[in-house]
Amino acid sequence: MVFDTLESKYPDISHFGMFHIRRGDAIGECDTTLRKISNYLSCSLDRIEMYGNISIMLSTDEHDPCYRNAIQGMIEALGFRFVDLDAVVAEVVTDYATLIPNGSRLVNNMFIYKVEANMEWHERIGFRMNQRRSQSCNSCDELHSSWQFQKKPIISEPHHNWTIDFTHVNETYTICANKL
């Protein structure tokens, strides 16, 4: 159901990539500051546009809209489409819950996380990136040369080397955070 929704909303996408950021109880184990995430995204996503139109789907336990918007800005600044996976899954789960008896019990963050966790290794997911706990907190994953793209056809030559203007991201985040 979630993939049907994603494919209907984003029919021109060649690959969906999952990006999970764990902040809450894992914040002391993995640096997920905006500066670190900015560097991580710039390095990890370098040259993967040659594999076609790519959407990065964010899954996170972070509720701060300023932080989430800053991540969205970074992904879009690098030329990729951003999808708030948490919102899409919540929408699908909420719709599904109306169809079954006692369905409202499914509309909670733990069930949404479980759906997202099951999606992570599904064949329709082209690649995955994680920033959570110490074992999944790399400074760069260099996806273009990883096992995740070994068998994927190259659709075009890399045509840009975009970077994130961190000063702008930080200023926008600060203005947003000050309004809360």
Side-chain angles (χ1 to χ4, degrees):
M1 295 169 80
V2 176
F3 286 109
D4 294 337
T5 300
L6 288 168
E7 289 175 355
S8 70
K9 287 185 175 188
Y10 309 102
D12 61 333
I13 297 301
S14 306
H15 302 287
F16 287 104
M18 289 190 72
F19 182 29
H20 182 195
I21 302 174
R22 178 89 180 249
R23 289 185 47 91
D25 64 338
I27 202 157
E29 295 181 50
C30 180
D31 178 6
T32 55
T33 60
L34 292 176
R35 181 170 298 284
K36 182 345 177 67
I37 297 298
S38 172
N39 292 334
Y40 173 78
L41 289 171
S42 293
C43 179
S44 296
L45 298 175
D46 183 42
R47 294 183 278 178
I48 67 165
E49 76 277 358
M50 66 185 161
Y51 296 102
N53 294 328
I54 295 173
S55 278
I56 310 296
M57 301 185 303
L58 176 66
S59 168
T60 182
D61 61 346
E62 178 61 67
H63 298 289
D64 178 359
C66 297
Y67 183 89
R68 295 175 75 95
N69 289 340
I71 301 298
Q72 177 177 353
M74 291 178 203
I75 290 169
E76 290 173 347
L78 291 170
F80 300 100
R81 177 171 281 154
F82 172 86
V83 176
D84 184 339
L85 185 59
D86 300 325
V88 172
V89 172
E91 177 186 327
V92 171
V93 167
T94 301
D95 290 347
Y96 178 72
T98 64
L99 304 175
I100 62 171
N102 282 335
S104 61
R105 74 187 190 294
L106 300 177
V107 184
N108 64 69
N109 64 329
M110 290 306 295
F111 187 76
I112 290 168
Y113 171 75
K114 181 70 173 164
V115 170
E116 292 172 351
N118 283 323
M119 290 175 64
E120 187 172 0
W121 292 99
H122 191 279
E123 65 186 19
R124 293 185 189 171
I125 298 298
F127 61 95
R128 58 212 48 78
M129 303 181 301
N130 289 294
Q131 290 292 291
R132 59 179 179 211
R133 308 244 182 243
S134 56
Q135 73 272 19
S136 297
C137 193
N138 298 332
S139 59
C140 181
D141 283 326
E142 296 187 40
L143 293 169
H144 71 278
S145 61
S146 77
W147 62 270
Q148 297 185 81
F149 280 96
Q150 279 180 345
K151 296 182 179 180
K152 296 191 179 8
I154 294 176
I155 295 173
S156 67
E157 291 300 314
H159 56 276
H160 59 73
N161 186 14
W162 291 351
T163 58
I164 297 169
D165 177 0
F166 184 76
T167 303
H168 174 71
V169 169
N170 193 41
E171 287 171 2
T172 303
Y173 173 78
T174 302
I175 290 167
C176 178
N178 288 335
K179 289 181 181 178
L180 293 178

